[in-house]
């Protein structure tokens, strides 16, 4: 079964030390993954921000550029991830377009190109986001939870950009739920990942995630003959197939938060 790992980069520590650690780890196991980077204000603690020359993740372009240089996907995340997580679910079209414009212009200024993909912070989405992803001509997006590749429809607004949903609860969510001992977290994740899904399993981690946990998961999945692929490869393989529309609704996660989630097919 295919397994994809995607990485959310929205802190200064993640964009520097975190990305460096993960690139070394993924390289040691010869696997390719997908990174989604926010270029605006970081979500680090105030103490760390004071110790850095700038709190903009975009100022660490060399560290970010190492991601595609080592063969991994590089995609866009919201410009200000904290603001997006707090407001996007209930935002109107004007607010969403403004946030998208900031992210897209920052990306184009830094890389000289339009991003190929996008992932919303904390699985917070709205109908306007899906329209903007379509208008930007993205190859794919990964904004929501779900079980299979689909084209999103939300509040009667139809998107055209395929969604590759996250299928496994992030470790941060499982920790916050309080019901799983830290030393058993890898076992719980592995158990959850045994369900066979059409496009395989997709696990999202933070760039600040404990590398020991990430390595445990890679070893366990490799031991069960998993095939690791970046999201771009999965999306590319699906281009020749008919991708069905699904509604996007909301579901409550293990930690009590709410996430945009793939719902009924149309």
């Amino acid at each position: 079964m295919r397994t994809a790992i995607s990485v959310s980069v929205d802190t200064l520590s993640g964009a520097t030390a975190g990305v460096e650690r993960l690139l070394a780890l993924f390289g040691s196991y010869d696997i390719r993954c997908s990174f989604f980077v926010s270029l605006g204000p970081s979500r680090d603690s105030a103490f760390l921000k004071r110790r850095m020359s700038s709190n903009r993740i975009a100022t660490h372009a060399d560290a970010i550029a190492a991601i595609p240089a080592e063969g991994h996907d590089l995609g866009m995340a919201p410009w200000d991830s904290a603001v997006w997580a707090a407001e996007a679910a209930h935002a109107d079209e004007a607010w969403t377009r403004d946030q998208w414009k900031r992210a897209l212009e920052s990306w184009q200024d830094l890389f000289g190109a339009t991003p190929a993909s996008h992932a919303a912070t904390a699985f917070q989405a709205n109908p306007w986001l899906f329209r903007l992803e379509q208008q930007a001509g993205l190859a794919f997006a990964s904004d929501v939870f779900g079980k299979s590749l689909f084209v999103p429809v939300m509040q009667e607004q139809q998107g055209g950009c395929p969604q590759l949903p996250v299928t496994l609860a992030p470790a941060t969510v499982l920790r916050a739920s309080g019901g799983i001992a830290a030393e058993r977290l890898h076992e719980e994740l592995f158990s959850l990942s045994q369900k066979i899904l059409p496009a395989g399993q997709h696990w999202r981690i933070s760039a600040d995630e404990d590398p020991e946990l990430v390595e445990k998961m890679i070893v366990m999945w490799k031991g069960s003959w998993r095939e690791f692929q970046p999201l771009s490869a999965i999306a590319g393989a699906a281009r020749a197939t008919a991708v069905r529309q699904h509604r996007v609704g909301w579901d409550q996660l293990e930690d009590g938060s709410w996430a945009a989630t793939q719902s009924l097919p149309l």
Side-chain angles (χ1 to χ4, degrees):
M1 182 167 65
R2 289 181 300 195
T3 297
I5 299 176
S6 63
V7 183
S8 175
V9 184
D10 58 10
T11 63
L12 294 171
S13 57
T16 52
V19 165
E20 184 178 357
R21 284 193 304 265
L22 289 174
L23 290 179
L25 177 61
F26 297 153
S28 69
Y29 286 97
D30 193 28
I31 64 175
R32 299 293 174 263
C33 302
S34 304
F35 289 73
F36 296 99
V37 181
S38 170
L39 296 179
S42 79
R43 301 180 77 179
D44 294 276
S45 67
F47 171 76
L48 181 57
K49 287 179 180 179
R50 287 195 298 269
R51 294 177 62 87
M52 305 292 278
S53 59
S54 171
N55 74 332
R56 296 285 176 85
I57 297 171
T59 59
H60 300 279
D62 289 346
I64 298 168
I67 295 169
E70 296 199 19
H72 302 281
D73 293 344
L74 178 61
M76 186 175 78
W79 185 77
D80 188 327
S81 58
V83 168
W84 185 272
E87 300 184 29
H90 303 290
D92 61 16
E93 182 177 4
W95 183 93
T96 307
R97 285 189 177 276
D98 178 66
Q99 292 294 314
W100 181 264
K101 181 181 179 182
R102 289 188 183 189
L104 191 60
E105 289 181 348
S106 296
W107 192 274
Q108 292 169 334
D109 288 345
L110 189 61
F111 299 112
T114 298
S117 56
H118 177 266
T121 306
F123 310 104
Q124 299 300 292
N126 63 46
W128 322 115
L129 171 64
F130 301 136
R131 294 291 299 274
L132 290 165
E133 290 171 337
Q134 178 185 8
Q135 291 169 7
L138 303 191
F140 66 91
S142 184
D143 303 310
V144 306
F145 270 104
K147 295 181 179 179
S148 62
L149 181 73
F150 73 101
V151 174
V153 177
M154 191 176 197
Q155 297 177 16
E156 308 311 319
Q157 294 288 331
Q158 298 187 15
C161 179
Q163 284 282 330
L164 283 167
V166 171
T167 64
L168 293 170
T172 50
V173 169
L174 294 179
R175 289 191 189 98
S177 70
I180 304 169
E183 62 272 15
R184 289 192 53 251
L185 189 57
H186 65 292
E187 297 174 353
E188 179 69 16
L189 280 165
F190 185 73
S191 176
L192 292 170
S193 74
Q194 295 309 293
K195 186 174 183 178
I196 297 175
L197 297 175
Q201 293 283 359
H202 175 194
W203 186 41
R204 177 154 303 152
I205 62 174
S206 164
D208 294 299
E209 184 55 76
D210 177 8
E212 183 177 342
L213 172 64
V214 180
E215 185 167 21
K216 283 180 180 179
M217 298 311 304
I218 292 172
V219 169
M220 293 174 76
W221 283 328
K222 275 189 168 284
S224 59
W225 304 100
R226 296 295 183 94
E227 176 189 8
F228 288 88
Q229 289 188 351
L231 295 177
S232 60
I234 297 173
R239 289 194 188 109
T241 63
V243 180
R244 194 168 183 180
Q245 287 184 322
H246 282 249
R247 294 191 182 278
V248 175
W250 294 91
D251 196 15
Q252 193 167 27
L253 303 183
E254 288 86 343
D255 64 350
S257 64
W258 290 88
T261 304
Q262 179 182 11
S263 186
L264 297 175
L266 295 177

